[in-house]
Amino acid sequence: MRKVQAHTSSLDAYAAGLLTERRAAGLYRTRSILEGPQGIRPFIDGRQVLSFCSNDYLGLASHPTVRRAFQLAADRYGVGSGASHLITGHARPHHQLEEELAEFTGRPRALLFSTGYMANLAVGSTLLGRADTALEDRFNHASLIDAALMSRARLVRYPHADVNALALALQRSAPSRRVILTDGIFSMDGGLAPLDRLRDLALAHGAWLAVDDAHGLGVVGPTGRGSLESFGLTLGDVPVLIGTLGKAFGTFGAFVAGSDHFIDALIQVARTYIYTTALPPAVAEATRASLRLVQSGERRTQLLARVERFRRGLRELGLSFAPSAFAIHAFVLGSPQRALLASERLAERGILVPAIRPPTVPAGSSRLRVTLSADHTDEHVDQLLDALSRVLT
Ligand SMILES: *Cc1c(COP(=O)(O)O)cnc(C)c1O
């Protein structure tokens, strides 16, 4: 008994030390409690705020049509899926959604995953082994980095969007399997990856290109089919496409889309596919409804109009931050403390914009990350511009 206590208290001392370090570095993170549905006017810690920080870009997370589909499906299919896809968890709505996502992305097949994190781990560990090389943009999402780590391949991180550095790394890498992994739209600044040039390099070096379009699908491209569509790239250019459903689609889950053989290989060997419970079928049904809304394009048009207004407003205010043409906007402020202070000052005005700090972004580039939604009105955008002009100047 005493031994157990001693063990617990040494663990506690370790945890307390870690927390002290985090606090001292301005990196301590806290959670706020949201009441009611996700949206642009949530009640957080008992107070209604105007939110510019969710990834629900199209306002589908609590859209009436999506909710209704979820409710009906819960009556029909229950709540839990009960098992993994390979046991008895693969229900009709999962399969239909996979077929519809394949069609949406113009690929032979799509495979559902429980989260984007797991989809990326599946891609890394299926395509790469110890003798191989993963080449990753420095700004890639943590789950893409972990995908390479889990695969045990050699990991090369090239400077953000630096195709020359990537070319050099490719020349120097062993001629075994090489996969270039990149975000389509970078999650922390909204920038579009140079996919056309990455494709050229991949083809020239016999490497495979994998694009995680978590923030592009539903938002980017002439018909919302994502970053690949905006470059006119297809399966032959980018054999691996990863999408998430918890962002523009407003629901939950993720998918990988590619060739028949590739998808079948994932089903056979990807541990984060095999050894986990399938998404609830009602979530798949809700996502089918949100996919139809994504395809109608109406919400994307609305979002892009708000983005245009925001960009114009920033220009008029002379706030010269790297502007994105899409939903995510970064205001890089430097130290974690500066970013936190700016976020607090916006909060005083009832505006919710989080401070993004290391390790989510590189040291010295702590920032405010603003995201716009199709549900924001022109007035909301103007309110944000007014607050930013006071806080950032
Ligand atoms: C959010 C995100 C993920 C993770 O997706 P989840 O479904 O939330 O696990 C993966 N990649 C990128 C680029 C993301 O932004």
Side-chain angles (χ1 to χ4, degrees), residues 6-228:
H7 193 66
T8 306
S9 66
S10 75
L11 184 151
D12 248 21
Y14 163 73
L18 183 152
L19 296 175
T20 305
E21 269 173 36
R22 288 271 150 161
R23 283 202 184 86
L27 298 179
Y28 187 76
R29 296 169 188 239
T30 57
R31 306 175 302 170
S32 303
I33 299 173
L34 185 107
E35 312 285 350
Q38 180 59 242
I40 55 160
R41 302 281 284 144
F43 282 86
I44 289 184
D45 294 336
R47 192 165 74 108
Q48 192 172 25
V49 295
L50 181 57
S51 166
F52 291 94
C53 57
S54 101
N55 299 318
D56 179 26
Y57 306 125
L58 300 180
L60 297 180
S62 54
H63 189 283
T65 309
V66 180
R67 283 187 197 216
R68 188 84 193 117
F70 185 70
Q71 286 161 350
L72 290 173
D75 283 342
R76 194 150 167 211
Y77 298 99
V79 176
S81 65
S84 68
H85 284 277
L86 289 167
I87 307 296
T88 61
H90 190 62
R92 176 63 57 195
H94 296 124
H95 205 75
Q96 285 170 317
L97 176 58
E98 286 182 346
E99 288 173 352
E100 289 163 5
L101 287 169
E103 201 193 322
F104 178 64
T105 57
R107 286 164 182 257
R109 250 178 115 176
L111 185 69
L112 281 180
F113 281 82
S114 295
T115 70
Y117 211 124
M118 294 165 76
N120 282 340
L121 296 182
V123 165
S125 59
T126 300
L127 295 182
L128 293 163
R130 278 180 199 282
D132 307 322
T133 307
L135 301 114
E136 303 218 18
D137 190 292
R138 274 221 164 265
F139 284 11
N140 274 357
H141 189 264
S143 59
L144 278 179
I145 303 297
D146 290 356
L149 296 177
M150 190 171 138
S151 76
R152 298 188 174 87
R154 195 166 78 90
L155 170 59
V156 177
R157 299 181 74 183
Y158 56 90
H160 178 49
D162 187 340
V163 286
N164 296 325
L166 173 60
L168 208 62
L170 280 163
Q171 280 159 24
R172 287 177 180 163
S173 61
S176 50
R177 291 194 299 267
R178 288 164 302 173
V179 183
I180 303 166
L181 299 120
T182 184
D183 284 21
I185 293 283
F186 288 91
S187 54
M188 290 303 137
D189 67 8
L192 186 58
L195 295 181
D196 49 349
R197 291 188 292 160
L198 297 183
R199 183 269 321 262
D200 292 346
L201 281 177
L203 287 181
H205 293 270
W208 302 325
L209 181 55
V211 176
D212 174 352
D213 211 18
H215 299 278
L217 285 164
V219 175
V220 179
T223 68
R225 283 173 165 74
S227 308
L228 271 56

Side-chain angles (χ1 to χ4, degrees), residues 187-308:
S187 54
M188 290 303 137
D189 67 8
L192 186 58
L195 295 181
D196 49 349
R197 291 188 292 160
L198 297 183
R199 183 269 321 262
D200 292 346
L201 281 177
L203 287 181
H205 293 270
W208 302 325
L209 181 55
V211 176
D212 174 352
D213 211 18
H215 299 278
L217 285 164
V219 175
V220 179
T223 68
R225 283 173 165 74
S227 308
L228 271 56
E229 190 189 19
S230 72
F231 286 100
L233 299 177
T234 61
L235 182 72
D237 305 300
V238 181
V240 183
L241 172 66
I242 302 115
T244 58
L245 303 172
K247 286 161 185 163
F249 288 88
T251 59
F252 190 79
F255 67 93
V256 178
S259 70
D260 272 325
H261 284 147
F262 172 49
I263 297 300
D264 204 15
L266 288 172
I267 294 173
Q268 304 310 314
V269 307
R271 296 166 68 86
T272 56
Y273 184 76
I274 299 169
Y275 298 106
T276 200
T277 302
L279 279 179
V283 170
E285 270 303 285
T287 308
R288 296 182 67 209
S290 76
L291 177 58
R292 287 191 284 275
L293 288 164
V294 165
Q295 283 176 300
S296 85
E298 195 184 309
R299 308 225 109 220
R300 184 168 41 87
T301 308
Q302 224 166 297
L303 167 66
L304 295 179
R306 300 300 173 261
V307 172
E308 249 339 286

